[in-house]
């Protein structure tokens, strides 16, 4: 058999294992080892597992991941999600749909100290859903704003998924964080516009709340001191150059633990539960990354990615047509898989293609995160919708999906703008002359 055929068999075996519910990191590792063994020899095949594992565990850039996970866990346990939601409501609650607007603002603010979509959805469901329903909001608007706002957790820096892309694509993390700032701001504004348009046509589904005076707003700011300090130290340290991204993650993790203990929100059980969940998630991510490294190495030897790139190069279509096709694929993958799996599964094939088409890898990283983010709320699956349903069994899944639709429309518009206007992602990195 030719190397290309062996590579295709390896990809096929990977898909079969995924369908059989084999954990994706294990599936990629096994498929990579077997493919490599047939392409070269079995001694080298097993040796590559050790070499790639050593590389992943020795990487200081990968160390950022558990540190940001610790920061997010203790930020949630420390009540920072509730604080940032209360602050957003103090300034936006008096508008029609104000609680939903505050939810979007709260999701963006919590995303800045969390870096996870699932954690953002889980936290804001507990904080905001009951508040909205009790104040007369429809189940559609309440659930739709939380499920959609939760996706901001992987776009607003610092983001774990952006860190993973930076390492896998060998790009600078700080440059990607900076590139994500403007698209994240556009995401927040577009979601808020979607809410305002929705309540303009359905005014009874999002009644206005009481206007907070400046005394109440200042009180909300004071009560949000923990989140403001944590986000300020982490983001300020990164963008001012005082800390490297890794150092900022370490400082943020330590600060989140310290603040939570200081506020009396952490018991011995919660402390160990947070460390346990962080260790479990980090172990899962490391297994996925090791498996992805082995699988990518084997595919490279098979020449399959190069042949795919060459085949696409023969197509007489505009590169943006290929990008549009990839967007459809990623939305489907984002609905079926978690963000990490969707990314690592496709990197060996898609990243060389993007470079060959002449697109900027920084731009592509943000676009890919955005489109996977859209997949997380796309019916008929949408992982964020299913998480909300599991937490709110009395809420109909159809109501959650119906509430997501206005935000999904805003997402498509936003994604189109970022694709057609690359400067929306590249302007800030170029302005600050960041490495690329």
């Amino acid at each position: 058999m030719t190397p290309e055929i062996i590579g295709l068999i390896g990809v096929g075996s990977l898909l079969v294992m995924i369908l059989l519910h084999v954990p994706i990191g294990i599936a990629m590792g096994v498929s990579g080892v077997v493919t490599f063994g047939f392409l070269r020899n079995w001694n080298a095949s097993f040796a590559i597992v050790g070499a790639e594992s050593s590389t992943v565990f020795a990487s200081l850039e990968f160390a950022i991941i558990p540190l940001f996970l610790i920061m997010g866990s203790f930020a949630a346990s420390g009540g920072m999600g509730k604080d940032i939601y209360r602050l957003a409501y103090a300034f936006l609650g008096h508008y029609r749909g104000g609680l939903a607007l505050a939810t979007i603002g709260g999701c963006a603010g919590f995303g800045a100290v969390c870096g996870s979509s699932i954690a953002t959805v889980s936290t804001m469901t507990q904080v905001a859903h009951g508040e909205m329903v009790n104040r007369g909001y429809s189940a559609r608007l309440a659930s739709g704003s939380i499920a959609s706002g939760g996706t901001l957790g992987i776009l607003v820096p610092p983001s774990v998924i952006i860190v993973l892309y930076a390492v896998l694509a060998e790009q600078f993390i700080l440059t990607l964080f900076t590139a994500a700032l403007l698209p994240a701001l556009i995401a927040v504004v577009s979601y808020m516009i979607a809410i305002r348009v929705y309540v303009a046509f359905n005014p009874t589904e999002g009644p206005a709340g009481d206007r907070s005076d400046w005394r109440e707003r200042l009180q909300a700011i004071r009560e949000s001191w923990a989140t403001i300090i944590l986000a300020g130290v982490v983001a300020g340290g990164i963008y001012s150059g005082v800390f490297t991204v890794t150092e900022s993650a370490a400082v943020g993790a330590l600060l989140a633990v310290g603040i939570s203990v200081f506020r009396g929100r952490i018991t011995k059980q919660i402390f160990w539960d947070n460390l346990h969940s962080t260790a479990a998630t980090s172990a899962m991510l490391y297994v996925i990354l090791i498996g992805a490294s082995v699988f990518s190495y084997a595919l490279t030897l098979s020449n399959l990615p190069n042949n795919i790139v060459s085949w696409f190069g023969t197509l007489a279509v505009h590169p943006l047509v290929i990008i549009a096709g990839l967007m459809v694929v990623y939305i489907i993958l984002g609905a079926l898989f978690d963000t990490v799996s969707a990314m690592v599964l496709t990197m060996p094939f898609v990243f060389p293609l993007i470079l060959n088409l002449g697109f900027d890898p920084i731009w592509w990283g943000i676009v890919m995160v955005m489109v996977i983010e859209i997949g997380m709320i796309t019916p008929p699956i949408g992982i964020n919708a299913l998480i909300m349903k599991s937490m709110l069994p009395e809420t109909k899944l159809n109501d959650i999906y119906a509430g997501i639709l206005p935000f999904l429309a805003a997402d498509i518009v936003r994604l189109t703008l970022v694709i057609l206007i690359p400067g929306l992602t590249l302007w800030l990195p170029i302005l600050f002359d960041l490495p690329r």
Side-chain angles (χ1 to χ4, degrees):
M1 289 186 291
T2 64
E4 291 82 358
I5 295 298
I6 295 174
L8 283 172
I9 293 174
V11 173
S13 66
L14 170 62
L15 296 177
V16 169
M17 284 187 282
I18 291 173
L19 290 174
L20 293 175
H21 300 289
V22 175
I24 191 166
I26 301 297
M28 296 184 80
V30 170
S31 178
V33 167
V34 173
T35 302
F36 193 99
F38 278 108
L39 288 170
R40 287 292 184 267
N41 62 76
W42 293 102
N43 288 334
S45 177
F46 289 111
I48 197 65
V49 176
E52 293 300 321
S53 299
S54 176
T55 299
V56 169
F57 284 117
S59 172
L60 288 177
E61 291 182 317
F62 282 130
I64 297 172
I65 296 171
L67 291 171
F68 277 142
L69 290 174
I70 289 174
M71 185 175 73
S73 294
F74 281 94
S77 300
M80 296 184 198
K82 186 174 183 179
D83 292 342
I84 201 69
Y85 176 72
R86 186 188 303 114
L87 176 60
Y89 176 73
F91 285 88
L92 300 170
H94 59 282
Y95 294 107
R96 186 175 292 159
L99 279 174
L101 296 173
T103 297
I104 298 301
C107 286
F110 188 67
V113 296
C114 169
S116 165
S117 176
I118 292 176
T120 303
V121 169
S122 302
T123 299
M124 296 309 294
T125 296
Q126 298 175 58
V127 170
H129 188 270
E131 187 77 11
M132 282 192 275
V133 171
N134 291 338
R135 291 181 181 247
Y137 277 63
S138 69
R140 289 188 296 273
L141 182 57
S143 56
S145 58
I146 295 172
S148 304
T151 63
L152 297 171
I154 64 170
L155 182 60
V156 176
S159 162
V160 172
I161 195 69
I162 290 178
V163 172
L164 287 173
Y165 173 83
V167 176
L168 292 172
E170 298 181 348
Q171 302 297 313
F172 288 94
I173 296 174
L174 177 58
T175 305
L176 279 159
F177 279 177
T178 305
L181 289 175
L182 192 52
L185 177 60
I186 295 172
V188 172
V189 172
S190 65
Y191 279 172
M192 289 186 173
I193 291 173
I195 291 170
R196 295 293 289 168
V197 171
Y198 183 83
V199 296
F201 287 98
N202 305 278
T204 60
E205 295 198 22
D210 298 327
R211 180 185 289 270
S212 300
D213 57 30
W214 277 102
R215 182 184 61 81
E216 293 170 321
R217 291 174 178 174
L218 291 174
Q219 177 66 22
I221 292 174
R222 284 194 294 270
E223 291 176 352
S224 302
W225 65 269
T227 308
I228 294 171
I229 290 175
L230 182 58
V233 169
V234 173
I238 291 174
Y239 295 114
S240 68
V242 174
F243 304 133
T244 65
V245 178
T246 306
E247 291 168 345
S248 184
V251 170
L254 183 61
L255 191 58
V257 174
I259 289 174
S260 298
V261 172
F262 175 77
R263 301 180 83 183
R265 303 288 182 91
I266 300 298
T267 64
K268 182 179 179 180
Q269 185 63 45
I270 292 175
F271 181 84
W272 288 112
D273 285 347
N274 284 345
L275 292 186
H276 180 270
S277 65
T278 298
T281 304
S282 298
M284 177 196 71
L285 292 175
Y286 271 79
V287 169
I288 290 175
L289 291 169
I290 293 169
S293 298
V294 174
F295 184 67
S296 298
Y297 202 97
L299 281 185
T300 301
L301 286 179
S302 74
N303 288 322
L304 192 58
N306 288 336
N307 288 338
I308 291 175
V309 169
S310 299
W311 180 78
F312 272 102
T314 64
L315 297 179
V317 296
H318 194 281
L320 287 178
V321 175
I322 297 175
I323 294 295
L326 289 174
M327 296 299 98
V328 175
V329 171
Y330 273 113
I331 288 176
I332 296 172
L333 289 175
L336 296 174
F337 298 102
D338 62 86
T339 51
V340 176
S341 300
M343 176 181 291
V344 299
L345 272 173
T346 56
M347 280 289 285
F349 306 100
V350 174
F351 190 68
L353 174 61
I354 292 300
L355 296 182
N356 188 64
L357 291 173
F359 291 109
D360 190 289
I362 298 296
W363 168 85
W364 173 247
I366 304 304
V367 168
M368 184 166 59
V369 169
M370 288 173 59
V371 72
I372 294 175
E373 165 192 49
I374 293 171
M376 297 181 73
I377 58 171
T378 301
I381 303 177
I383 293 173
N384 281 12
L386 297 182
I387 290 172
M388 282 202 69
K389 175 60 180 174
S390 68
M391 298 181 66
L392 305 168
E394 73 284 356
T395 301
K396 295 179 181 179
L397 193 57
N398 286 342
D399 285 337
I400 299 177
Y401 287 141
I404 283 171
L405 291 179
F407 300 96
L408 198 56
D411 277 333
I412 298 300
V413 173
R414 169 169 57 100
L415 181 63
T416 303
L417 284 174
V418 172
I419 289 174
L420 296 179
I421 310 174
L424 293 175
T425 58
L426 300 177
W427 176 60
L428 285 177
I430 292 173
L431 179 66
F432 293 104
D433 195 26
L434 295 175
R436 295 169 59 198

